Amino acid sequence: MNRFYIQTYGCQMNVADTDRMTALLERAGGEAVEAPEQADLILLNTCSVREKPELKVYSRLGELRKLKRGNPDLVLGVCGCQAQREGEAILKNAPYVDLVIGTANVGRVAELVEEVRRSGKRLVALDMPKRGTPSWMAPDPHMTTDLVDLVPSVGAPARGKLKAFVPVILGCDFACTYCIVPRTRGPERSRPVSDVLGEVRALAQTGTKEVMLLGQTVDAYKSYYYADAAEDSRVYSLADLIWLINDVDGIERIRFTSPHPMLMHDELIDAVAECPKACEWIHLPVQSGNDTVLKRMARRYNRERYLDRIRRIRQAMPDCAITTDIIVGFPGETEEQFQDTLSLVEEVRFDGAYMFNYSPRPGTPAHGWEGELEHDVKIDRLNRLIAVQNRISLEKNQALIGRTFEVLVEGPSEQGDGLYTGYTRENKTCHLPGHPGMAGRLVKVRSTKGAQWGFFGEPLEQVGAPLPVLTL
């Protein structure tokens, strides 16, 4: 286990799982390498939300098979949601794979790899916590607390990152008919408040300035918390957790994703509006603008409830950026129902959106339903939706010209020309002239040119070394 390589597919939760596995493997004596050709252990951390990422994994496994032939001691494993969904089928479809690790077993990665090496046998670890006593009432054995212990021993689960993902709730108790997450991530389990705070404090000590609190339904978070021995315990919500993290020295920004509209209560909206470190950005998935489609998706809200939450957010935070997720081409969706989605996008005017055509997922309630649309119809609707949202995003960002923003500068921009890149509190990308001394700092920036993805800007203050004279 001296050298390992992990390739990650999918969402932020998978990135967080990769960070965790990296820390565990390093604690066991391993060393992360930059290329699979350098590794004695290769893990693919996979996604099952759509079919395409799963197909990419098998294609990638086929490529890695060549390395396995050249190095019989190489351990090749598949982790994450696809591993949880397919299980032993992966070993059958790819007989050169040594290890399959489900989502609830990433904390055992070092132990499982060692067992493969010791025994020479192929292993599958898929056990998942059963639905029962909520984890906020009784600790779940699958919700380990070793993340806190890892931080001082190896640096941090997200070591060296200016921004870190912090899982606070795993699994999901909703049953949206298109979604595989309840099957691949299991029932809802919230991490204890004390564990989350311990991890955030440790991350802050290593230089992390922004934390993103993660959960499939993050606003379902709830956990008992004892502030001190003299205080009675009570159940703390996500809003409470945000206020507690606000008091952690070194942390400058707090975000969370993804909430469910049914649980986006006023308390949470007010916490984002009033908490100094909570960022003015909310990602609120809508999926469809039509009530019939939403009901078939089992989303538990209708169009008016969603729009009510948008109005409440903008009442509390007029300049809050709002982004969303949208699925087009759900089974049985008519052109008229799709037009309702377009009209909702026009009404809300999202700052950005993740937009997809419906992908049937085996194991979900909607798989095999009548009314499956032709691929060309889905793509046509998706393209029309993207065109509308792109226009709105550009219009909104162009309207920001001349406004001043606080930008957390991350490093050199991929656009070159001496530009650096960072993100505003509203989660908008900003490219600005800079220098190495600006990386990792909060800089006041004036927007000078809007773009679909964000804007170009000019710094209004000197940070670190003198700023070079550059033009955009």
Side-chain angles (χ1 to χ4, degrees):
M1 203 188 302
N2 292 329
R3 297 165 299 174
F4 64 90
Y5 174 84
I6 306 178
Q7 183 169 342
T8 309
Y9 301 80
C11 68
Q12 298 102 321
M13 191 67 77
N14 275 14
V15 175
D17 284 345
T18 291
D19 289 335
R20 184 182 181 192
M21 288 190 290
T22 296
L24 287 164
L25 291 170
E26 288 182 338
R27 187 168 70 174
E31 175 190 357
V33 295
E34 297 296 324
E37 293 79 10
Q38 303 168 339
D40 304 307
L41 166 66
I42 300 174
L43 300 174
L44 302 185
N45 192 7
T46 62
C47 173
S48 271
V49 171
R50 299 176 60 76
E51 182 181 21
K52 190 173 182 179
E54 290 190 341
L55 296 177
K56 285 184 177 179
V57 167
Y58 278 111
S59 176
R60 183 61 167 154
L61 286 173
E63 297 170 358
L64 296 174
R65 185 179 188 178
K66 300 173 184 177
L67 297 179
K68 182 80 172 175
R69 287 172 178 167
N71 179 10
D73 294 329
L74 172 67
V75 173
L76 181 57
V78 178
C79 316
C81 291
Q82 185 173 353
Q84 188 70 46
R85 189 181 78 79
E86 295 191 27
E88 293 190 3
I90 292 177
L91 299 185
K92 181 179 179 181
N93 295 331
Y96 41 89
V97 169
D98 303 290
L99 179 61
V100 177
I101 305 176
T103 55
N105 289 273
V106 295
R108 300 175 56 206
V109 60
E111 164 198 339
L112 293 168
V113 172
E114 180 61 27
E115 177 62 18
V116 168
R117 293 196 184 282
R118 185 193 62 78
S119 68
K121 296 179 180 179
R122 306 164 80 200
L123 295 181
V124 177
L126 301 175
D127 59 308
M128 180 72 74
K130 299 294 189 290
R131 190 180 306 277
T133 303
S135 60
W136 54 271
M137 296 178 63
D140 186 321
H142 289 79
M143 182 62 71
T144 62
T145 60
D146 58 11
L147 277 171
V148 179
D149 298 331
L150 285 173
V151 174
S153 63
V154 300
R159 185 176 56 178
K161 291 188 177 181
L162 186 64
K163 304 190 297 185
F165 295 129
V166 178
V168 300
I169 181 170
L170 304 182
C172 185
D173 284 351
F174 283 82
C176 301
T177 55
Y178 57 82
C179 185
I180 195 69
V181 166
R183 179 176 172 181
T184 59
R185 290 281 178 178
E188 206 173 84
R189 295 101 70 204
S190 292
R191 289 180 67 193
V193 173
S194 55
D195 283 9
V196 175
L197 287 177
E199 183 179 350
V200 171
R201 290 182 183 121
L203 287 167
Q205 291 172 7
T206 67
T208 295
K209 292 190 176 182
E210 177 178 309
V211 292
M212 175 83 81
L213 309 181
L214 297 182
Q216 267 73 32
T217 310
V218 70
D219 45 357
Y221 178 85
K222 52 186 176 181
S223 174
Y224 276 122
Y225 178 59
Y226 297 84
D228 56 61
E231 182 176 336
D232 291 335
S233 67
R234 69 177 178 89
V235 176
Y236 276 60
S237 66
L238 180 63
D240 296 321
L241 183 61
I242 288 171
W243 279 110
L244 290 169
I245 294 174
N246 185 74
D247 293 334
V248 176
D249 291 339
I251 297 299
E252 301 287 349
R253 291 179 171 183
I254 305 168
R255 304 186 192 274
F256 59 88
T257 196
S258 289
H260 192 286
M262 280 299 296
L263 301 176
M264 179 57 68
H265 302 308
D266 289 356
E267 176 197 30
L268 179 56
I269 296 171
D270 290 339
V272 178
E274 298 169 10
C275 181
K277 295 180 181 178
C279 291
E280 297 79 11
W281 167 76
I282 291 179
H283 183 78
L284 193 63
V286 64
Q287 308 302 0
S288 174
N290 176 266
D291 286 350
T292 299
V293 175
L294 288 172
K295 186 175 182 179
R296 285 170 57 80
M297 289 178 167
R299 289 293 288 170
R300 304 191 193 183
Y301 57 84
N302 58 20
R303 178 186 179 111
E304 181 51 38
R305 163 67 183 181
Y306 185 88
L307 291 175
D308 174 75
R309 294 296 82 194
I310 296 295
R311 287 190 289 268
R312 182 63 176 79
I313 292 168
R314 287 184 168 152
Q315 178 185 23
M317 297 172 284
D319 294 328
C320 182
I322 302 175
T323 55
T324 195
D325 297 335
I326 302 174
I327 297 172
V328 302
F330 191 71
E333 181 191 68
T334 66
E335 174 63 24
E336 182 180 8
Q337 291 167 344
F338 169 68
Q339 288 295 327
D340 285 343
T341 296
L342 290 181
S343 69
L344 182 138
V345 170
E346 293 277 14
E347 181 174 352
V348 175
R349 291 182 63 81
F350 296 105
D351 290 78
Y354 294 101
M355 299 163 281
F356 308 95
N357 60 289
Y358 171 70
S359 176
R361 308 309 299 127
T364 61
H367 185 252
W369 276 6
E370 294 183 1
E372 176 69 20
L373 302 183
E374 294 290 337
H375 180 71
D376 290 347
V377 173
K378 295 181 187 178
I379 296 302
D380 174 67
R381 290 180 184 175
L382 179 62
N383 288 337
R384 284 188 280 158
L385 173 64
I386 290 173
V388 170
Q389 180 55 56
N390 286 351
R391 170 179 55 80
I392 293 171
S393 295
L394 178 59
E395 290 171 353
K396 297 198 73 167
N397 292 333
Q398 287 178 333
L400 299 175
I401 294 175
R403 290 270 303 275
T404 299
F405 295 88
E406 177 192 85
V407 174
L408 179 59
V409 180
E410 296 189 358
S413 167
E414 294 181 354
Q415 298 205 11
D417 296 328
L419 294 176
Y420 275 61
T421 189
Y423 289 84
T424 70
R425 290 175 60 91
E426 298 79 10
N427 211 26
K428 291 182 180 289
T429 304
C430 174
H431 296 299
L432 68 155
H435 57 84
M438 294 172 65
R441 297 176 180 268
L442 295 170
V443 180
K444 294 295 182 183
V445 176
R446 179 189 293 117
S447 173
T448 58
K449 179 182 178 182
Q452 181 184 304
W453 41 260
F455 59 86
F456 293 91
E458 58 182 10
L460 299 179
E461 56 187 338
Q462 183 170 299
V463 178
L467 294 172
V469 178
L470 296 171
T471 58
L472 294 177

